[in-house]
Amino acid sequence: MSDALLSNPIFHDETAAREWLEARIWKHGRFCPHCGVVGNSTLMHGKTTRPGLYQCNACREPFTVTVGTLYERSHIPLNKWLAATHLLMASKKGMSALQISRMLGLPYKTAWFMCHRIRESLRENIKGPLGGAGRTVEADKAYIGGKEGNKHKIKRGRIGGGAGGKEPVFALVEREGAVRSFHLPLVTAKTLRAVLVAQVDRRSYLMTDEHSGYKTVGQEFGRHEAVRHYTGEYVRGDAHTNTVENYFSILKRGITGTYHHVSQQHLKRYLAEFDYRYNERQALGISDAERMEKSVQGIVGKRLTYRRPNQRANEQA
Ligand SMILES: [Zn+2]
C-alpha cells in the first residue's frame, strides 16, 4: 500500500495526477462537460492559463477534466485527492482521517472533509436488483458503532434505539456477489420488506434468521429459509447467513478499530465505503490499484448523470 503511495507520481505530482485522470475520463475522446460535444476542443495557452484548460469549439466554454466532479473548485491538489482515495480503497478496514492527514501532510479537517466526499461519491453506484433465478441472497441486521461513554450526556440513549446507542444496519449479500447495506433506524416487518423488495430479485432464494419481520415478505421470494439462531442452529443444508455475517464482522472491526465512533448522520457514508471495498474485493481478483481506479471513474462518471442545471455536481449530497 505505502509502496504505491511512494512510487507512483500521480500521488505526488499535480500534472501527473491530471494527465492520469484525463487518460481515464477522456478514454473515448475529450468531451465538453457544458454541451457534451466530443473531440472538438482546443488546449488554451497563456501565461495565466491553468494547465489542462480547454476551450470547447462548439459552445466556446472553457473546461478542465475536473469540471463537474467533486474535485472541481477544490483547493486541494488533485494528487492528494487521488492519494486519499488510494489509501481508503487499499485498507480493508478503512483509514482514519487522522492517519490520512499525517501521511499526506494535510490538516486534519481537510483530510476529514476529503474522506467524507470520497465516501459520498461511492454511494449511488447501485445498479439493478441483487440475486435472480437460482441465486441466493442472505439478509441480516446488526448494531453498529456508538460508544455510549463517548457521547454527550444529553444525547445518550436518544438515537437509534439500538443496544448501547448503536445503530441498526440491514445488509443484503448475494452469495459470490455483492453487498448492499442500509442504515435502518426502525427495524420492523414493514421497513425490512421495503428494502428487500426494492433491492432483491423476487426469484432469489432468501436466507435469514428467525426474526419475525422476514416471515411474510419471505413468501414473496423464490424460496425462504430462516435458520433458528435462538436454538443454536446456524447451518441447515444450504440455509445459513454466514456470508452476511462475515460482511458484518469486517464492518464492525473497521468501525470499531479504525473509526472508533461513527455518528448517525455519517453512517450511510461509512456503509458506502465498506460496501464498495467488499464489492470490489481481492477475492474477485481486483487489485488495490484497480479498485482505486474504478472508484475514481465512478466519481467522475457521475457528473453527466446527476448534474442538474444550476447545480454544481459537488452539491449533490
Ligand atoms: Zn461545449
Side-chain angles (χ1 to χ4, degrees), residues 64-128:
T64 68
V65 73
T66 62
V67 168
T69 74
L70 76 90
Y71 310 125
E72 188 187 6
R73 293 185 182 86
S74 171
H75 298 298
I76 303 153
L78 189 57
N79 54 301
K80 303 253 177 184
W81 275 109
L82 297 184
T85 308
H86 167 75
L87 290 171
L88 278 182
M89 287 294 105
S91 322
K92 199 177 179 190
K93 290 186 277 180
M95 189 176 281
S96 69
L98 188 64
Q99 198 177 342
I100 288 179
S101 79
R102 284 181 187 141
M103 290 180 80
L104 302 186
L106 291 166
Y108 171 74
K109 274 192 171 174
T110 305
W112 187 91
F113 164 82
M114 292 169 83
C115 289
H116 272 305
R117 296 313 288 270
I118 293 165
R119 286 183 192 109
E120 181 64 31
S121 74
L122 300 174
R123 298 177 66 211
E124 305 187 59
N125 275 329
I126 287 170
K127 294 176 203 89

Side-chain angles (χ1 to χ4, degrees), residues 158-192:
R158 268 177 47 180
I159 60 166
K166 292 172 188 287
E167 291 294 321
V169 170
F170 182 45
L172 308 165
V173 183
E174 180 176 341
R175 285 188 192 159
E176 273 131 43
V179 66
R180 288 176 197 173
S181 63
F182 304 87
H183 177 210
L184 204 64
L186 200 64
V187 180
T188 66
K190 200 177 163 187
T191 59
L192 291 171

Side-chain angles (χ1 to χ4, degrees), residues 32-37 56-61 63:
C32 167
H34 305 289
C35 72
V37 75
C56 175
N57 296 323
C59 73
R60 312 304 299 169
E61 290 287 329
F63 65 89

